């Protein structure tokens, strides 16, 4: 009898553990390590065309390979000539890998890995902007590698965002799949720092079919999802044009952009690993994964019915 009771006790423990395991969608330590590596002084702010940027490419390539993403045409590297704002980079590089779903219809997850480099001898490490987005991109890749998605998921670490959304433009000019297969762009840019525990999902104003889904994303202990920052009357608080997702929006491809409100470290040398929030950030990244998982379950029709109004 005693043995029987302890068996029941163990069974209950096991069930509780499995409930916990279901909620854990990422490894916080791996997430934080990715940000720490990408925002290290050795990468010198990852400006497009520099040695530090090249080191970041190699790190992301290694992580794509470890996670087991599939390349298109045997390589994660998609090179392009970048010419913008008086800067020319002969070989800028997007890193692209994918996880096949049960359909060819795809969701493109993006995060730019470049930043602004060095100015007046000071390194702009870009831990929040946007090592944090790349960390979340890698965490989502690791999650969906183990949890087969309905949609084909394309993971793109983009170059040249800081020079005018150039990597996203190159991706769409020379896409790995037909553009009309892309249902949605999920862009991540600055996810690791907010004192109120708030992560914004921006874009549902333009693509209202996504609003109910965003509202179903349950809060996590340290981070909750809000919607907004996407209305033209909000002026500079309208984020529609402010990161890579705008290149998708311009081409009538729906987007949701995940990010935090501006903070004192934005585009400052103090945007360093030590200043990100190590409890908010993993939960913020998990909210993005929760949203993509909901998309895979609910499969809203996004492209047939939506008309886009230029903001
Ligand atoms: Zn950024």
């Amino acid at each position: 009898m005693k043995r029987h009771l302890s068996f029941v006790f163990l069974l209950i423990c096991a069930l509780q553990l499995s409930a916990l395991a279901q909620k854990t969608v990422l490894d916080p330590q791996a997430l934080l390590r990715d940000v720490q590596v990408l925002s290290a002084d050795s990468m010198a702010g990852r400006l497009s065309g520099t040695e530090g940027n090249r080191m970041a490419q190699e790190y992301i390539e290694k992580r794509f390979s470890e996670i087991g993403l599939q390349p298109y045409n045997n390589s994660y590297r998609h090179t392009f000539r970048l010419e913008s704002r008086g800067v020319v980079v002969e070989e800028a590089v997007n890193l692209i890998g994918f996880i096949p779903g049960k359909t060819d219809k795809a969701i493109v997850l993006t995060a730019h890995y470049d930043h602004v480099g060095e100015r007046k001898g000071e390194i702009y490490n870009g831990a929040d902007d946007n090592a944090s987005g790349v960390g979340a991109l890698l965490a989502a890749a690791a999650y969906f590698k183990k949890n087969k998605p309905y949609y084909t998921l394309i993971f793109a670490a983009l170059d040249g965002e800081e020079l005018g959304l150039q990597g996203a433009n190159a991706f769409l000019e020379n896409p790995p799949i037909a553009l009309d297969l892309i249902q949605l762009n999920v862009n991540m840019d600055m996810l690791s720092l907010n004192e109120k525990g708030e992560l914004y999902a921006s874009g549902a104003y333009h693509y209202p079919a996504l609003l109910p889904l965003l509202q179903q994303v349950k809060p996590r202990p340290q981070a909750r999802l809000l919607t907004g920052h996407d209305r033209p009357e909000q002026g500079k608080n309208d984020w529609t044009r402010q990161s890579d997702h705008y290149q998708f929006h311009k081409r009538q491809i729906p987007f949701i952009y995940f990010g935090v409100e501006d903070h004192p470290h934005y585009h400052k040398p103090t945007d360093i690993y030590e200043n990100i929030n190590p409890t908010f950030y993993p939960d913020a990244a998990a909210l993005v994964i929760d949203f993509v998982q909901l998309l895979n379950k609910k499969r809203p029709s996004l492209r047939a019915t939506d008309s886009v109004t230029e903001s």
Side-chain angles (χ1 to χ4, degrees), residues 1-57:
M1 191 60 188
K2 207 175 171 190
R3 274 179 75 171
H4 180 69
L5 271 179
S6 61
F7 172 73
V8 171
F9 175 72
L10 279 175
L11 189 69
I12 290 168
C13 290
L15 286 172
Q16 281 175 337
L17 272 175
S18 79
L20 250 174
Q22 272 174 353
K23 287 183 182 169
T24 311
V25 294
L26 56 79
D27 172 0
Q29 249 133 44
L31 181 74
L32 291 167
R33 192 175 55 241
D34 287 335
V35 174
Q36 192 170 21
V37 171
L38 289 167
S39 61
D41 282 352
S42 58
M43 298 210 184
R46 308 183 303 280
L47 180 67
S48 297
T50 65
E51 176 63 15
N53 180 282
R54 197 188 58 71
M55 286 169 66
Q57 292 164 21

Side-chain angles (χ1 to χ4, degrees), residues 136-307:
L137 182 83
L138 294 168
Y143 176 79
F144 287 105
K145 182 68 191 176
K146 294 190 183 110
N147 299 272
K148 188 175 170 74
Y150 170 74
Y151 293 108
T152 291
L153 299 183
I154 300 175
F155 298 86
L158 300 173
D159 201 356
E161 192 271 354
E162 302 284 6
L163 296 169
L165 321 184
Q166 297 298 310
N169 184 59
F171 177 95
L172 290 158
E173 290 295 304
N174 188 17
I177 61 167
L179 288 187
D180 55 13
L181 286 173
I182 301 175
Q183 307 300 299
L184 181 69
N185 168 228
V186 172
N187 185 35
M188 293 165 273
D189 194 353
M190 300 170 62
L191 276 79
S192 63
L193 189 51
N194 182 266
E195 286 178 0
K196 294 180 280 186
E198 294 172 350
L199 179 71
Y200 271 90
S202 166
Y205 168 78
H206 303 285
Y207 305 101
L210 288 158
L211 189 60
L213 229 60
L214 290 166
Q215 288 167 339
Q216 282 172 54
V217 177
K218 292 194 187 74
R220 286 186 171 269
Q222 303 293 330
R224 66 200 171 95
L225 201 57
L226 301 179
T227 56
H229 285 292
D230 47 12
R231 292 173 175 271
E233 67 267 23
Q234 290 178 294
K236 70 174 172 44
N237 287 318
D238 170 11
W239 297 344
T240 301
R241 296 167 180 234
Q242 292 188 3
S243 179
D244 290 317
H245 52 270
Y246 182 55
Q247 296 286 5
F248 289 81
H249 182 57
K250 261 169 49 179
R251 292 161 174 92
Q252 285 87 46
I253 299 170
F255 77 88
I256 293 293
Y257 158 56
F258 290 90
V260 295
E261 292 189 315
D262 275 355
H263 49 70
H265 306 300
Y266 172 71
H267 280 213
K268 295 271 162 40
T270 57
D271 183 7
I272 56 175
Y273 176 71
E274 288 72 18
N275 282 334
I276 73 167
N277 184 324
T279 55
F280 168 74
Y281 173 45
D283 275 1
L287 291 176
V288 180
I289 296 173
D290 292 343
F291 170 66
V292 177
Q293 186 62 305
L294 263 174
L295 279 168
N296 277 299
K297 282 188 187 146
K298 308 272 176 174
R299 304 168 200 172
S301 96
L302 295 171
R303 296 229 37 196
T305 50
D306 288 309
S307 65

